[in-house]
Amino acid sequence: MSEMKRGEAKRLALLQATAGLIMEKGIAAVTTREVAERAGSTERTLFKQFGSKEGLLTAVLDLVARLQIA
C-alpha cells in the first residue's frame, strides 16, 4: 500500500478531530480553532483544505454517510 500524502494525512486528521468534537460538544459548539488544535494543524490549513467551516462539516457528514453505506 502506498504511503498517504502529507495533504491527505492533514485532511484526515482534521476530519477525525471534527468528528470527535461533534460527538463531545455538538455540531453548533465546534470551532475551527479547536479543530485545528486537536488535529495538530492550523486554521489556515483547515480553510485551505475545506474552504469554510461549512465545507468542513459537510465533508465530515459525507464521510460518515459513506461509512454507513459501506
Side-chain angles (χ1 to χ4, degrees):
M1 185 163 73
S2 66
E3 191 173 316
M4 185 181 294
K5 293 183 181 179
R6 186 175 176 186
E8 292 170 350
K10 286 183 178 187
R11 184 176 180 87
L12 180 58
L14 289 164
L15 290 170
Q16 290 173 325
T18 304
L21 285 165
I22 289 171
M23 290 181 359
E24 291 171 22
K25 301 174 65 171
I27 199 165
V30 173
T31 68
T32 56
R33 179 179 292 172
E34 289 175 306
V35 170
E37 287 175 5
R38 182 169 289 192
S41 189
T42 65
E43 283 184 288
R44 181 179 177 159
T45 298
L46 185 153
F47 288 113
K48 184 178 177 183
Q49 288 283 332
F50 299 100
S52 65
K53 180 179 178 181
E54 292 76 20
L56 171 63
L57 295 174
T58 298
V60 169
L61 295 173
D62 287 345
L63 178 60
V64 170
R66 283 193 309 243
L67 292 172
Q68 292 299 316
I69 294 170

